C-alpha cells in the first residue's frame, strides 16, 4: 500500500504555518501540528487547522510523557485524530492514552527514542497503540548522511509485522525514498522540505511522485 | 531554610488562571505554568504571567522529553526562569537544556517518574540540573491516603545531599507538611488547594503558616 504523506508544521506561530499549508494541502494526507508549534501557540493550532481542513487527518505531536489521560483528551477535544506519546512513557500512560483515543475514535502514535526495544514495542501493540515513528539516526541526520541505515529499514519491517502503521521521519528527501522500496512504510513525514520550500505545493508533489514511483500508485 | 511556595496553574485558559493568581500572588514565591495550561494556551501563558509579575520566579512545566535545546529556548525567551524535563529524557537532552538554561541564567528541573534511580539522579546533577521534583506516590494520592511514604522523605534527603533543590508535590495539604519536618525541602507545590479555593490568598497564607511552623520563619 502507498504510504501517506504527512507535513510537519513546526513554525513558531500560526500565520507562518497557515500560508505554506494552504499552498500544499491538496497534496497532503496528514497534517502534523508539531511540538514546537503546540508549545508556541497551544491547542488553538489544532483547532485552527481542524476548522480549515475538516476532512484531513491531524496529528497533535504533543509527545506525552505523563498525565496521559488529561493531555490526550484536550488534544482530541481540540480536533486531533492522532496524538503522540514518547517511547519513555510508562505503559500505564500508554494505556491511558489508548483508552481516551478509543473514546474519540482516535489513534495513538509512539515516538521511538534513541533506544529501540522490540519487546517494549510489542507491549505497546498489545495495549492498542496503532502507530510508531521511526526516526533516521539523528547522528546520520546531523552529519548530512543521505543514506538511512539498513537497521532503520529492518526496524520498519519488524514493527509493521507487529501490526503497527510505521511512520518514517528525519529530513527525508524525495530521492532517498528508494531506500524503503518494498518496506511497509505507512506514513512519510516531511517538514521543512515542504514548509520552507519556495513552492510548497511543488515540493509536496515531488514527494508524492517519489512515493508513487517507489510504492506504486494505489492509495 | 524555609521552603518556597509554588502555585501550580493548571487551568484550561488564561482568564481562569489570572483571577486566582492575582488574589494569591503576594503569598507565592514561584509561579508554575503547568503542562495543561501550556498545552491549552501555548507560551503566551508564560508571557502573560511574566508581564504581570516581572519579579516572580516562573516555571514553565513543559516536561521536555526530546528536542531539548529548541523547546527550552522558547520557554526561556518567553520569560521562564525554570523549565522542566521528564526523568525519561536522555542525558543528551538534559545536557542540551542545561546549556540553554545557562545562557539565560535559568535552571533545569527534572520530574521524577514512577521509577527512581539514584545513579541517574547523580548524572543529572553532574550535568548541571539544579532541581528535582518528588511526587507523592500516585497510588497514595489516588487512594486519598494522607500520609507520604517514609521512602518519599528519605528520597528528599538523598537528593538534597546530591546538591539538588528538591520540590515536593502531589495534592499537598497544610496539615501534611509535618511529615517533612527536618527534611531539606526547597519548594512546596500547591495547585488546586490554592487555585480552586474560595479564597486563594487565605489558602496560600495557610500553607505559608504551615511552612513557617515546620521549618521556621527565616526565608
Amino acid at each position: 500500500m502507498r504510504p501517506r504523506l504527512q507535513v510537519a508544521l513546526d513554525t513558531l506561530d500560526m500565520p507562518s504555518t497557515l500560508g505554506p499549508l494552504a499552498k500544499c494541502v491538496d497534496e497532503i494526507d496528514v497534517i502534523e501540528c508539531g511540538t514546537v508549534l503546540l508549545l508556541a501557540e497551544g491547542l488553538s493550532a489544532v483547532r485552527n487547522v481542524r476548522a480549515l481542513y475538516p476532512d484531513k487527518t491531524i496529528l497533535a505531536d504533543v509527545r506525552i510523557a505523563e498525565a496521559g489521560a488529561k493531555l490526550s483528551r484536550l488534544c482530541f477535544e481540540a480536533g486531533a485524530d492522532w496524538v503522540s506519546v514518547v517511547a519513555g512513557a510508562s505503559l500505564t500512560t500508554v494505556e491511558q492514552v489508548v483508552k481516551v483515543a478509543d473514546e474519540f475514535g482516535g489513534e495513538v502514535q509512539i515516538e521511538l527514542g534513541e533506544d529501540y526495544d522490540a519487546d517494549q514495542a510489542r507491549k505497546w501493540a498489545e495495549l492498542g497503540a496503532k502507530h510508531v515513528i521511526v526516526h533516521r539516526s539523528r547522528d546520520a541526520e546531523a552529519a548530512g548522511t543521505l543514506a538511512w541505515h539498513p537497521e532503520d529499514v529492518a526496524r520498519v519491517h519488524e514493527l509493521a509485522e507487529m501490526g503497527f502503521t510505521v511512520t518514517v521521519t528525519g529530513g527525508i528527501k524525495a530521492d532517498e525514498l528508494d531506500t524503503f522500496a518494498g518496506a511497509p512504510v505507512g506514513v512519510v513525514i516531511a517538514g521543512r522540505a515542504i514548509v520552507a520550500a519556495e513552492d510548497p505545493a511543488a515540493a509536496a508533489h515531488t514527494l508524492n511522485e517519489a512515493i508513487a514511483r517507489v510504492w506504486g500508485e494505489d492509495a
Side-chain angles (χ1 to χ4, degrees), chain A:
Chain A
M1 200 159 89
R2 187 182 174 287
R4 284 166 282 180
L5 181 59
Q6 175 171 324
V7 65
L9 305 175
D10 256 321
T11 56
L12 290 177
D13 58 64
M14 226 39 230
S16 332
T17 263
L18 292 180
L21 179 59
K23 289 179 184 140
C24 71
V25 71
D26 291 343
E27 297 279 341
I28 299 299
D29 304 297
V30 181
I31 301 172
E32 170 191 331
C33 293
T35 314
V36 164
L37 180 63
L38 285 173
L39 177 60
E41 292 276 8
L43 283 172
S44 70
V46 173
R47 281 191 290 267
N48 284 331
V49 172
R50 173 52 73 217
L52 284 164
Y53 308 110
D55 300 326
K56 295 286 178 185
T57 299
I58 298 177
L59 163 65
D61 188 20
V62 69
R63 298 187 187 181
I64 290 171
E66 291 176 14
K70 200 163 184 180
L71 297 175
S72 62
R73 180 172 298 278
L74 289 173
C75 295
F76 289 121
E77 284 174 350
D81 300 292
W82 302 349
V83 302
S84 63
V85 173
V86 294
S90 70
L91 292 176
T92 310
T93 296
V94 173
E95 195 173 12
Q96 284 175 346
V97 178
V98 168
K99 202 173 153 191
V100 176
D102 286 347
E103 227 180 276
F104 285 86
E107 295 187 2
V108 177
Q109 197 161 55
I110 314 262
E111 306 219 19
L112 299 184
E114 289 175 33
D115 302 320
Y116 169 70
D117 176 342
D119 289 335
Q120 192 190 27
R122 272 184 206 100
K123 283 182 194 147
W124 297 330
E126 281 165 24
L127 289 175
K130 299 274 190 254
H131 298 243
V132 287
I133 308 181
V134 174
H135 288 266
R136 182 211 299 261
S137 148
R138 289 168 208 273
D139 291 345
E141 192 184 345
T145 316
L146 275 181
W148 284 65
H149 294 179
E151 309 89 84
D152 296 326
V153 181
R155 198 165 291 174
V156 170
H157 281 280
E158 184 173 69
L159 289 161
E161 277 157 27
M162 293 180 201
F164 288 110
T165 299
V166 183
T167 292
V168 293
T169 189
I172 295 178
K173 294 178 191 67
D175 58 6
E176 294 177 90
L177 288 174
D178 296 285
T179 313
F180 292 101
V185 173
V187 179
V188 171
I189 301 185
R192 290 180 46 79
I194 296 175
V195 176
E198 203 167 319
D199 185 341
H205 187 69
T206 302
L207 279 158
N208 269 327
E209 282 181 331
I211 288 171
R213 190 184 74 236
V214 175
W215 282 276
E217 290 288 350
D218 54 315

